[in-house]
Amino acid sequence: MFVPSFYREPESSWMVDLIRGNPLALAVANGSADSGPFATHLPVIFDPETAADRSGELTGATLLGHMNRANPHWAALETGGVLLLTFTGPHSYVSPTVYQVTPAAPTWNFTAVHVRGVVEKIESMEETLQVVEATVRAFEGAFGDGWDMSESLDYFRKIAPGVGAFRFTVTGAEGMFKLSQEQPGEVRERVRESFGQSACAYKRETAELMNRLP
């Protein structure tokens, strides 16, 4: 991902926060010339056993994900192989009407993180179940209503053979936080105010990030 220097994250914790807040990743692998590339949308979490050790740096972090074993992407994955995970955060179109200057051109403010790493396929059904349960705990805590999965564990065991779980060790990451930094201060402030007053949740979330810029 090409990231101009002025669009880089002010702190590495911005990338960690974006992944936690937008955990539906697009996993991309080259595959073969006949069948690739592969791209699969899937939920990804930080490994709860090591997440507490993270200080905001992504390199060296362990992520957990899972997909349908019937997906050809799963068969193409190999332990030790390279995978790219992309995460998209708040974004929105920016109309030149907000700038109140002429000439001007429309653009798109957006946030994204690309994470490269090495895959370890999990073959054990018990470990696969642990990944599924950890994913439920993470998402029920952040997005759900506190659903108790204890009465569904037998059902989990029935469907686990169809689940392909994996560990992902991060070897590198790039963040793109395009938030009107290229504009003069007064123009950037008009964009931020316009987004902050919008009924669109994406625009309000983008405005919140703009508020955090140095």
Side-chain angles (χ1 to χ4, degrees):
M1 177 168 61
F2 171 63
V3 185
S5 59
F6 43 85
Y7 292 147
R8 293 194 179 277
E9 67 282 353
E11 299 177 4
S12 57
S13 62
W14 280 47
M15 292 197 289
V16 173
D17 291 345
L18 187 146
I19 290 172
R20 290 190 190 279
N22 305 271
L24 185 67
L26 177 64
V28 182
N30 285 336
S32 68
D34 294 331
S35 58
F38 294 99
T40 300
H41 295 273
L42 47 81
V44 173
I45 64 170
F46 285 92
D47 185 343
E49 293 188 5
T50 60
D53 300 332
R54 305 265 35 100
S55 59
E57 294 292 334
L58 275 171
T59 301
T62 302
L63 306 177
L64 301 176
H66 64 279
M67 67 174 71
N68 192 323
R69 281 179 177 263
N71 185 340
H73 195 165
W74 175 254
L77 285 182
E78 295 182 359
T79 292
V82 175
L83 194 66
L84 173 70
L85 298 177
T86 72
F87 301 83
T88 302
H91 60 89
S92 186
Y93 173 74
V94 184
S95 169
T97 59
V98 178
Y99 294 159
Q100 299 179 21
V101 295
T102 301
T107 189
W108 205 286
N109 278 0
F110 70 93
T111 57
V113 172
H114 286 195
V115 182
R116 301 178 305 282
V118 178
V119 173
E120 176 194 350
K121 294 177 77 170
I122 296 173
E123 301 298 345
S124 160
M125 280 299 100
E126 196 58 38
E127 287 186 87
T128 297
L129 277 169
Q130 290 172 7
V131 170
V132 172
E133 291 174 28
T135 303
V136 171
R137 282 191 290 270
F139 294 155
E140 278 297 314
F143 305 104
D145 295 315
W147 175 63
D148 182 358
M149 66 176 144
S150 59
E151 295 184 358
S152 296
L153 293 180
D154 286 342
Y155 176 66
F156 283 10
R157 291 186 179 92
K158 289 180 181 179
I159 63 176
V163 176
F166 63 88
R167 292 185 186 87
F168 177 91
T169 302
V170 179
T171 58
E174 297 169 316
M176 177 84 157
F177 292 83
K178 183 178 179 297
L179 301 168
S180 298
Q181 295 96 320
E182 79 284 1
Q183 297 294 337
E186 64 274 12
V187 174
R188 186 167 60 248
E189 180 61 16
R190 284 196 284 271
V191 175
R192 187 197 64 77
E193 288 183 358
S194 174
F195 281 9
Q197 296 168 5
S198 173
C200 173
Y202 279 159
K203 286 190 174 183
R204 294 197 304 273
E205 291 172 5
T206 305
E208 290 174 9
L209 284 176
M210 295 178 75
N211 277 329
R212 293 172 53 191
L213 286 173

